[in-house]
Amino acid sequence: MNTGKILISKSKPQIIIAKTEEQLASLCANFFYRTIVERMTEPGRISVALSGGSTPRPMHRLLAMPPYLTDIPWNQIDIYWADERLVPPNDPASNYGAAKKDLLDHLPIQKDHIHPMCSPHSPGRAAEEYEGLLAEYFELEPKALPLFDLIILGIGQDGHTASIFPNDRTAIDTGRWVVPVKGGTPDVHRLTLTMPVLLKARHLFFLVTGRSKAEMVRTIFEQDSAGLPPQLLNASSNQVAWFLDKEAASLLTKNLAE
Ligand code: 6PG
């Protein structure tokens, strides 16, 4: 393990800055493990939602290896997605496809604990289907909100998170749990958990690496008026942690990591 200096803030949201992308993946895997272990002190299955893109892939690959592979009680966990591109699961753009290859195929986990956001149906119907699945798992009445134990998120250079894009209120001003949206890179139909669902989660982890995200990281933490989706989530009353590598944190001017 890389022993470079790690900065961990006492602020809320918590900010964790690692020297390298590898060190960050290892830190995040460790927090993942600790979050699961802590949650195991309560009864019931544990719900985790993953995101897509390239950033979480090193962490997914680490979780697929000992000690995480062997020490995490995978069979007590249900895996969901925060968002998905509506492409076939074997398409390189599929979030499920990437997670399957890096992580899920290697885990001792029952297949029926994995809940891809994939559907051959129209985006509208696919969103309703996923809501139906959540209603069943969380045993919810229509007006209640699913309570995820942990949702892992990334951000885009444009300030989106999951598939909640700035200037699109579809997934923000809503009582829905899952909505269809179109956009992003690749510019395809997508499903996303909505802002109310993300806000309700017990733990949110943002995983952000690379210089290309540094400008947006600074905007999120230093420009309060921007109203970006990750800023709305920073206001959550639950646990929010940002895992940044040095590059992603390089334009922060306030000393946040104290
Ligand atoms: C998606 C995402 C998205 C992602 C960010 C970061 O499916 O597009 O879940 O919100 O987390 O765009 O993507 P990168 O890690 O590829 O930069």
Side-chain angles (χ1 to χ4, degrees), residues 112-207:
D112 65 353
H113 284 208
I114 297 174
H115 311 282
M117 255 182 177
C118 304
S119 168
H121 300 123
S122 68
R125 184 161 158 203
E128 283 169 17
E129 283 171 358
Y130 211 73
E131 287 183 322
L133 191 134
L134 295 178
E136 203 175 312
Y137 173 84
F138 291 100
E139 295 176 5
L140 292 176
E141 297 302 324
K143 288 240 158 105
L145 282 171
L147 172 60
F148 281 93
D149 290 302
L150 169 61
I151 301 181
I152 302 175
L153 297 165
I155 63 161
Q157 289 177 46
D158 61 353
H160 76 265
T161 189
S163 286
I164 306 182
F165 295 95
N167 306 321
D168 180 356
R169 308 288 300 182
T170 319
I172 298 177
D173 302 326
T174 180
R176 298 279 307 267
W177 306 337
V178 182
V179 291
V181 289
K182 168 108 177 16
T185 311
D187 184 1
V188 290
H189 289 284
R190 294 156 175 262
L191 296 186
T192 187
L193 296 182
T194 59
M195 185 57 69
V197 175
L198 299 183
L199 276 170
K200 173 104 180 165
R202 288 175 156 191
H203 293 267
L204 291 176
F205 288 2
F206 283 94
L207 189 52

Side-chain angles (χ1 to χ4, degrees), residues 50-57 81-85 93-95 152-158 160-165 183-186 190-191 207-209 212-213:
L50 305 177
S51 285
S54 55
T55 312
R57 298 194 73 169
W81 270 263
D83 73 321
E84 181 58 282
R85 297 99 182 251
S94 165
N95 291 342
I152 302 175
L153 297 165
I155 63 161
Q157 289 177 46
D158 61 353
H160 76 265
T161 189
S163 286
I164 306 182
F165 295 95
T185 311
R190 294 156 175 262
L191 296 186
L207 189 52
V208 189
T209 59
S212 66
K213 305 276 175 74

Side-chain angles (χ1 to χ4, degrees), residues 3 6 8 25-26 35 54 65 67 76 87 91 108-109 118 122 140 158 162 174 190-191 199 209 239:
T3 52
I6 297 159
I8 302 186
S26 163
T35 304
S54 55
M65 293 193 292
Q76 292 184 42
V87 295
D91 187 298
I109 186 169
C118 304
S122 68
L140 292 176
D158 61 353
T174 180
R190 294 156 175 262
L191 296 186
L199 276 170
T209 59
Q239 297 291 320

